[in-house]
Amino acid sequence: MADLDVVVVGAGFAGIYAVHALRSSGLTVRAFEAGGGIGGTWFWNSYPGARCDVESKDYSFSFSPELEQEWSWSERYPAQPEILRYLSHVADRFDLWPHIQLNTRVTAARWDDDAAEWTVTTDDGAVVSARFFVSAVGCLSAYQVPSLPGLETFSGTWHHTARWPAEGVDFAGKRVGLIGTGSTGIQVAPQIAAVASQLYVFQRTANYAVPNRNRPWEPAAEREFKSRYRQYRKEARESFLGVPVAGTGRPVLAEPPEDVQRTFTERWQAGGGMPFLGAYTDLLVDQAANDVIAEFMRDRIRETVSDPVVAELLCPRTFPVGSKRLCQSDDYYAMYNRPNVTLVDLRSTPLESASAGGLSTTSAFYELDAIVFATGFDAISGALRQIDVRGASGVALADRWGAGPHAYLGIATAGFPNMFIVTGPGSPSVLSNMALSIEQHVEWIRDCIGYLGAHGFTTVEATSDAEEAWMAHVTEVAYSTLFPKADSWYIGANIPGKPRVFTTYVGGVGPYGSKCDEVAAAGYPGFALGAP
Ligand code: NA7
């Protein structure tokens, strides 16, 4: 008999809720977390300026009406420390700590065909068996530092934003080089510029950023909103992104230009990426439509940045708006008006190497005291692939996913019985409100395990046919949009050698949730259920 019903890997939003939901349905559960605290990606990414780009009222658990009423977010967009305080409160309130083992990395998980259970090994040498194995490792956990010749000789300090020291980093009076201008680089850059003597931003690809217009949540507005929270959560579950967004419902190309300008200007003033990209129906499916929003954004950069040469270098041109994560910042572009900030264009002068004193491009040497890598993640599949997961007949997950990660409904993969992946490849995950998508997946997993017990089954496994058909659908939907045009982490293009496969389901959170519900209600077609 297995030691536990369920082993959960990770204690971020997904692992925390998995522990709560599975325990509440009577199962024995243990979550292993590599970090010294809970929070997952929010634990590790403690760099200055780290903030969620989904509003706090959305980026929070909905499973407990009491929790959502008693917790008060201080700001429209939650900063990293407040998200950690929130998750800690959740762990306290629902008594989750005894079921979470911190500072423990899962190194291997093997399915035992005969015993019909998983054997899970951790880096402290312990081994535990469980009937079910739930990956809650997160989509943005395996960070990447690019191979830069000579980095080991650099005499200053260097850090990746996803492994920020808990005690912080003092940049006061320092010359700092920042590599990367994705969401992270754009958040951290103004914070460093405010204290450093000099900040060099090494930009390979210019990026789009909309304002946050972050502000405190006024008590009166909070009270009013909370009085209709339940209805709002329902709308969120049925929405396209997991956040109710009111668009015009019309294509931009059919709209008079002055109306387009007014609409975009209003949404730019209001702040936030989702309302901006959701303004018109064709922005993410028609290049000509996307060109309209792209030009609007480039005009905002030109009017913000005083040096016209720098402004043009900051104007993105190589991918459609929204096909990479739309960044959000209130002060990124304006930062380039500071005398202590220099933009280095890596397109015309690529980075060559590091040395004791700093960084060299093909045309110049930059003397630095510190380097910050905001160079992203081996996203979606990277963290799970770092574990030696072996399914039926000892097949390695890394081999099974050699041509790219895939999973039926983004939740289970053929050959790996009784293994579930929270927000896995083939689900809306990173292109949705993750908090909501996590809840939906965890509840589906809980209900599936409940169904097995109630009907005398002990195993569940996605069939290859169902998985292939689902991933073909995921691909078809993706290629009806502009998303695959970008060399983004969504498609694995940021990791050398990673197969170029678009694995996020962009058919909408609402329709996706309905499909998952239908499969459950019909007795799990597409899954093979087994009895002893
Ligand atoms: P991203 O979005 O993957 O951004 C990484 C940035 O680092 C991006 O600007 C990259 O340029 C740059 N990069 C990566 N490797 C290199 C090398 N070798 N040389 C120069 N520049 C490089 O990661 P983030 O952490 O910003 O954001 C990840 C998600 O977290 C975000 O989407 C939100 O959902 C939260 P590139 O564009 O590849 O040319």
Side-chain angles (χ1 to χ4, degrees):
M1 185 166 154
D3 301 325
L4 295 162
D5 291 318
V6 190
V7 159
V8 175
V9 192
F13 265 83
I16 287 171
Y17 186 45
V19 167
H20 176 61
L22 297 171
R23 274 190 67 232
S24 302
S25 68
L27 299 166
T28 53
V29 185
R30 190 180 311 157
F32 294 105
E33 166 56 56
I38 60 172
T41 202
W42 293 110
F43 172 81
W44 297 108
N45 284 268
S46 60
Y47 60 85
R51 188 181 292 284
C52 187
D53 59 4
V54 176
E55 291 191 41
S56 47
K57 68 185 193 311
D58 298 291
Y59 198 73
S60 49
F61 288 121
S62 69
F63 67 85
S64 162
E66 297 77 24
L67 171 68
E68 85 192 350
Q69 288 297 325
E70 75 197 15
W71 180 264
S72 271
W73 292 102
S74 66
E75 292 178 284
R76 178 184 185 187
Y77 290 100
Q80 179 264 350
E82 188 165 30
I83 295 173
L84 285 193
R85 283 198 297 278
Y86 170 72
L87 292 176
S88 196
H89 170 73
V90 172
D92 288 344
R93 193 188 192 290
F94 298 99
D95 194 23
L96 306 182
W97 295 109
H99 313 280
I100 299 171
Q101 188 172 321
L102 300 174
N103 297 306
T104 311
R105 182 175 287 280
V106 170
T107 54
R110 279 162 202 276
W111 173 252
D112 181 331
D113 286 311
D114 298 328
E117 63 188 36
W118 284 90
T119 304
V120 177
T121 308
T122 51
D123 61 356
D124 55 1
V127 177
V128 66
S129 61
R131 293 165 53 220
F132 297 94
F133 178 67
V134 174
S135 167
V137 295
C139 295
L140 295 166
S141 302
Y143 66 103
Q144 72 139 354
V145 179
S147 68
L148 186 60
L151 182 59
E152 68 287 355
T153 65
F154 180 57
S155 61
T157 57
W158 68 263
H159 298 281
H160 191 286
T161 43
R163 281 297 176 281
W164 207 254
E167 65 280 12
V169 183
D170 183 10
F171 292 121
K174 301 255 171 71
R175 296 158 301 179
V176 184
L178 168 66
I179 304 175
T181 51
S183 300
T184 303
I186 281 175
Q187 285 188 338
V188 78
Q191 304 284 324
I192 299 174
V195 292
S197 66
Q198 183 67 37
L199 172 66
Y200 297 97
V201 180
F202 293 86
Q203 170 187 278
R204 192 165 66 180
T205 309
N207 219 331
Y208 297 98
V210 295
N212 266 323
R213 312 289 182 206
N214 192 32
R215 54 177 178 266
W217 243 40
E218 300 300 341
E222 182 183 345
R223 270 196 306 279
E224 189 282 321
F225 178 78
K226 282 184 170 175
S227 69
R228 53 190 168 84
Y229 222 151
R230 290 286 85 198
Q231 176 60 23
Y232 183 85
R233 297 286 201 190
K234 183 171 174 297
E235 288 166 21
R237 281 220 168 196
E238 292 164 359
S239 70
F240 204 79
L241 295 167
V243 174
V245 173
T248 61
R250 296 185 296 276
V252 74
L253 294 177
E255 197 85 333
E258 58 279 12
D259 290 359
V260 171
Q261 283 299 310
R262 196 184 53 247
T263 298
F264 281 150
T265 303
E266 280 168 9
R267 289 176 185 239
W268 184 269
Q269 294 305 342
M274 288 180 177
F276 194 62
L277 272 177
Y280 293 101
T281 53
D282 50 354
L283 295 176
L284 283 168
V285 291
D286 184 328
Q287 184 62 57
N290 198 276
D291 290 344
V292 177
I293 195 172
E295 196 49 31
F296 179 90
M297 296 194 72
R298 286 191 286 263
D299 282 344
R300 303 289 75 71
I301 296 170
R302 293 180 189 115
E303 74 186 13
T304 306
V305 178
S306 355
D307 182 332
V309 176
V310 176
E312 281 315 306
L313 286 174
L314 287 168
C315 282
R317 298 181 186 285
T318 54
F319 61 96
V321 183
S323 62
K324 286 187 177 188
R325 186 82 172 193
L326 183 55
C327 305
Q328 293 186 196
S329 172
D330 289 326
D331 46 9
Y332 175 67
Y333 295 123
M335 174 194 78
Y336 287 95
N337 297 332
R338 296 177 66 108
N340 69 331
V341 176
T342 304
L343 180 65
V344 182
D345 174 30
L346 296 183
R347 288 276 160 186
S348 55
T349 59
L351 204 51
E352 272 197 334
S353 59
S355 56
L359 290 174
S360 296
T361 65
T362 49
S363 72
F365 171 68
Y366 297 87
E367 220 171 318
L368 301 173
D369 304 304
I371 302 172
V372 175
F373 290 92
T375 44
F377 301 85
D378 181 355
I380 301 174
S381 56
L384 189 49
R385 288 183 57 143
Q386 286 178 354
I387 302 171
D388 182 15
V389 180
R390 295 188 182 250
S393 311
V395 171
L397 185 70
D399 293 339
R400 182 88 172 72
W401 282 2
H406 41 96
Y408 180 40
L409 297 175
I411 209 162
T413 188
F416 293 79
N418 290 11
M419 168 172 141
F420 298 104
I421 308 164
V422 183
T423 64
S427 75
S429 72
V430 289
L431 281 167
S432 71
N433 170 9
M434 280 297 270
L436 182 148
S437 287
I438 283 167
E439 282 190 311
Q440 183 256 338
H441 260 196
V442 166
E443 287 162 12
W444 193 94
I445 293 165
R446 175 198 64 198
D447 295 347
C448 179
I449 294 175
Y451 180 91
L452 297 179
H455 293 80
F457 296 111
T458 48
T459 59
V460 55
E461 180 185 345
T463 67
S464 298
D465 288 351
E467 183 171 330
E468 271 170 36
W470 177 253
M471 291 312 287
H473 174 57
V474 170
T475 305
E476 188 189 353
V477 175
Y479 279 84
S480 69
T481 72
L482 300 175
F483 280 107
K485 283 189 148 192
D487 288 334
S488 67
W489 58 261
Y490 295 143
I491 205 163
N494 64 327
I495 301 296
K498 193 169 177 180
R500 193 181 175 97
V501 184
F502 195 92
T503 51
T504 302
Y505 184 57
V506 290
V509 165
Y512 170 79
S514 300
K515 169 74 182 167
C516 292
D517 290 346
E518 280 164 26
V519 168
Y524 299 91
F527 290 90
L529 309 185

